[in-house]
Amino acid sequence: MPLSVFLLITVATSAYAQSVKGLGVSGGNGSRGGIGDGAHPVRHAQAFITDALIPTAPNTTRQLARGPAPVLFHGNASAGCGNRMVVVDSNKPQQEMVRFGHAWTDSTVDVFDSLEPAVLDQVMQDLFGQSGNNMGFMRHTIGSSDLSGHQYSYDDNGPGFNLGEPDPGLANFGLGQDGTAMARMIARMGQYKGDVFLFGSPWSLPGWMKNNDLFIAPVIETLGGQYPLLNNSLNIKYIPQVVEYFTKYIDAFLSYGVTVNGLTLQNEPLNYQGGYPCMYLDAADEATIINQGLGAALKERGILFMAYDHNTDQPVYPYRVLQGAPGMVPAVAWHCYQGPAPNYTVLNDISRLYPGTLQFMTECSNYLPGAGSVNFEVAQNFIPPVQHGASGASMWGIIVNSSTTYTKTNDYYMIGQFSRFVRRGATNYPVVQGNEGNALTSNQLYIMAVQNPDKSWAVIFMNNLVSDQEVVLSFTGNGGQYWQGTVPKTTVTTWLLPSEQILGQTNGTQAASMGPPYPYRNGSATSFPTASGAVTGTGFSACNATFTSTTSTSSSSSTSVTALPVPNTTHTIATTATT
């Protein structure tokens, strides 16, 4: 049976022009940057396509395949003739991007360590190399998680994870065999990519730091489901030890050449069930930990504290942390598991009430969809968070079949539609016309547009409509200039559009056969036709009409800012109509 390597995806962004300048990197001498930065500028229009249909056999679907490039026209545009008008408001910069990636878990490290050296090298190239997905935003587990073969913290202080005694001086702190393997694998990552943003999250603190003295609480079932284990929570008398625990972890990883760049204090702090590592951490206690020394220690080390790290249905939690530790909470982390669908509009409230706060979607899982099904899970949890103010994201990525073979899942290619083409420091801009549907409708067209450091554009479409979309794309302020192309149905499609400077030099007409500054591989996908870069023309002459735009708005009824803001928890998921 294949061994699944669980690679959780991570998306990052934030609204109101939040900056990512000053954020660190985990280190290593691997390559940095990629297409869209100053060293690798986009020189001609390009399109890349991944089908949402999970293939039933090799070579049957497009996976990061080249598609016909969009074409540049000058003239009058129209919503007639079957065109979908898409408008990017290039006058309103939003958040800067940290980028996209996976998560390191113990199962990932165990399976990667079992690979033949040449196979491991290729896997790492596929994930982090510039000819691969070029991941730049990575999470890792601090101690064990539900994806671990062995359960442990960094200071069990006893013969087993549930048998420890208090260790108030943390004299027995240590990464242990599994934690050391994690640090070494992440250090190896730096040989392939040297500018990854790395952040850690614990599933539980050591058992002796908790009110029940257990790293993993028992499962107690009742007629109404699992019994709520309220004592599976932090014992606040150990807050000084919690501060030292995290600083020792940061320093221990540094001893292996790994710089931790961000930290959440608890994965899913409102999850206190039994059966695997969990811990309830109240928002007031999270703020207290930050106020009683950890916030200052993180600032001193240049590490980003990320509050919360749980679902969008409890936005009051990060508000309480922000209010309880004023000036010490630079970021908030969210998960995608709210049912029936995550409501990312709550990110807008954070940006409005605490401008400058970075936000991230730090965990989402796809559970290996079946062959023959249509699956947009990656794009559905990458694009909406970015639209509402996030800067990073995470999914299953690779199946390892043995020590010598592995398979790249469709999620790998879906993630690549983002991670290969959005650079760190890129700026997100609002798409004010062209989106359609929401997470509660059966069909959607989601669009995000970022401007990369070389001033080129990466525009990413998720077309979950029933037909191909003939898109006419424009940017405010560029009157009479339009990009036209086809976004196939049931795909995620990425357009790369040259900067105005490049267009002024070349008119965007360099042949697409020149390729980007490094090769793209389509894996098992077949090759699809390519088109030359942008051309000019009078276009749309038969379809003159008035060009109009419709701005999408949050459905939140909370519009005023008070001294102690209380979030509106009755959000509905905003619907964006098209004209």
Side-chain angles (χ1 to χ4, degrees):
M1 172 180 281
L3 295 173
S4 296
V5 178
F6 302 117
L7 300 171
L8 307 173
I9 305 170
T10 310
V11 178
T13 55
S14 56
Y16 300 86
Q18 293 95 326
S19 175
V20 302
K21 293 179 177 63
L23 296 187
V25 297
S26 59
N29 57 8
S31 62
R32 300 191 174 207
I35 185 71
D37 64 18
H40 310 95
V42 174
R43 298 193 179 279
H44 59 275
Q46 303 167 64
F48 296 88
I49 302 169
T50 293
D51 286 307
L53 177 66
I54 307 301
T56 57
N59 304 316
T60 57
T61 62
R62 290 166 290 192
Q63 294 177 318
L64 281 169
R66 286 188 179 274
V71 176
L72 179 63
F73 284 93
H74 297 278
N76 296 319
S78 169
C81 304
N83 295 323
R84 174 175 291 268
M85 311 306 294
V86 174
V87 180
V88 178
D89 190 345
S90 53
N91 294 321
K92 292 184 178 178
Q94 304 294 296
Q95 75 277 10
E96 290 181 355
M97 304 296 294
V98 176
R99 298 188 60 237
F100 305 86
H102 294 298
W104 288 110
T105 66
D106 288 324
S107 63
T108 308
V109 174
D110 288 346
V111 175
F112 279 25
D113 275 338
S114 74
L115 296 174
E116 296 289 338
V119 178
L120 176 59
D121 175 70
Q122 188 57 57
V123 170
M124 298 293 271
Q125 290 284 3
D126 282 339
L127 292 173
F128 303 107
Q130 290 205 356
S131 62
N133 268 2
N134 201 7
M135 301 294 180
F137 184 78
M138 294 292 296
R139 189 188 195 202
H140 90 91
T141 56
I142 299 173
S144 64
S145 71
D146 48 331
L147 301 180
S148 298
H150 304 96
Q151 298 301 329
Y152 68 99
S153 74
Y154 293 158
D155 192 353
D156 291 331
N157 197 35
F161 57 86
N162 270 357
L163 301 173
E165 297 294 330
D167 184 16
L170 274 77
N172 292 304
F173 179 94
L175 298 183
Q177 180 179 347
D178 294 287
T180 298
M182 172 78 71
R184 286 174 172 165
M185 184 61 71
I186 294 174
R188 186 178 185 121
M189 174 185 71
Q191 299 173 20
Y192 298 84
K193 185 167 180 62
D195 58 350
V196 174
F197 181 92
L198 175 74
F199 69 101
S201 302
W203 264 236
S204 175
L205 290 171
W208 58 267
M209 292 185 181
K210 298 163 67 174
N211 287 308
N212 61 358
D213 295 319
L214 297 174
F215 184 66
I216 298 180
V219 175
I220 302 175
E221 296 289 350
T222 68
L223 291 177
Q226 188 174 145
Y227 184 80
L229 304 171
L230 298 179
N231 67 346
N232 190 20
S233 56
L234 174 68
N235 185 337
I236 60 174
K237 77 176 185 179
Y238 289 116
I239 284 179
Q241 285 73 30
V242 172
V243 173
E244 187 176 4
Y245 182 81
F246 282 118
T247 56
K248 280 182 172 289
Y249 137 71
I250 292 163
D251 294 342
F253 267 60
L254 188 60
S255 71
Y256 286 93
V258 175
T259 300
V260 175
N261 311 123
L263 177 70
T264 75
L265 300 193
Q266 176 61 41
N267 171 70
E268 299 184 349
L270 301 179
N271 179 6
Y272 44 84
Q273 65 183 297
Y276 69 96
C278 295
M279 189 186 80
Y280 176 81
L281 179 64
D282 190 83
D285 296 337
E286 182 161 303
T288 299
I289 293 169
I290 293 301
N291 288 330
Q292 291 190 5
L294 185 58
L298 296 179
K299 279 190 173 182
E300 181 182 349
R301 290 166 169 81
I303 297 172
L304 186 75
F305 167 57
M306 302 152 72
Y308 189 40
D309 206 16
H310 209 163
N311 297 337
T312 58
D313 57 350
Q314 296 295 327
V316 70
Y317 188 109
Y319 277 99
R320 291 178 63 201
V321 181
L322 283 156
Q323 294 167 2
M328 303 293 285
V329 186
V332 173
W334 305 90
H335 291 188
C336 78
Y337 304 119
Q338 176 184 352
N343 181 7
Y344 294 115
T345 65
V346 298
L347 278 68
N348 293 338
D349 289 344
I350 295 286
S351 296
R352 180 168 56 251
L353 297 172
Y354 291 93
T357 302
L358 290 168
Q359 298 188 72
F360 302 87
M361 199 286 289
T362 49
E363 184 180 318
C364 195
S365 306
N366 202 11
Y367 303 110
L368 299 176
S373 64
V374 171
N375 189 278
F376 281 104
E377 191 75 12
V378 172
Q380 286 172 333
N381 290 286
F382 275 16
I383 297 177
V386 172
Q387 291 174 329
H388 292 290
S391 293
S394 190
M395 253 71 180
W396 307 139
I398 284 184
I399 302 299
V400 176
N401 303 307
S402 70
S403 63
T404 58
T405 63
Y406 64 97
T407 301
K408 289 179 281 190
T409 66
N410 208 56
D411 278 358
Y412 169 85
Y413 297 98
M414 282 292 187
I415 296 166
Q417 293 285 154
F418 299 80
S419 62
R420 294 182 181 222
F421 309 119
V422 177
R423 297 274 68 77
R424 184 169 177 165
T427 302
N428 180 56
Y429 285 82
V431 178
V432 296
Q433 182 177 344
N435 285 284
E436 181 175 338
N438 61 51
L440 300 182
T441 61
S442 57
N443 300 102
Q444 308 89 17
L445 180 71
Y446 292 159
I447 311 167
M448 60 173 275
V450 302
Q451 189 171 42
N452 275 317
D454 71 337
K455 301 303 181 183
S456 67
W457 290 88
V459 184
I460 306 175
F461 304 85
M462 187 198 87
N463 184 3
N464 189 24
L465 301 179
V466 297
S467 62
D468 296 353
Q469 297 296 299
E470 300 301 327
V471 170
V472 178
L473 170 69
S474 64
F475 298 91
T476 56
N478 286 356
Q481 178 174 298
Y482 309 96
W483 292 93
Q484 184 181 32
T486 301
V487 176
K489 66 179 180 179
T490 323
T491 71
V492 172
T493 298
T494 302
W495 286 1
L496 300 183
L497 308 176
S499 67
E500 289 299 308
Q501 180 182 6
I502 294 293
L503 288 175
Q505 296 169 353
T506 68
N507 208 27
T509 56
Q510 289 178 283
S513 59
M514 290 180 61
Y518 49 85
Y520 288 100
R521 298 176 182 174
N522 297 331
S524 60
T526 55
S527 178
F528 283 76
T530 63
S532 61
V535 298
T536 58
T538 57
F540 316 109
S541 59
C543 304
N544 278 330
T546 303
F547 188 83
T548 60
S549 68
T550 303
T551 303
S552 64
T553 59
S554 167
S555 59
S556 169
S557 60
S558 176
T559 57
S560 61
V561 179
T562 62
L564 291 174
V566 177
N568 171 34
T569 58
T570 59
H571 288 70
T572 57
I573 297 178
T575 301
T576 306
T578 100
T579 56

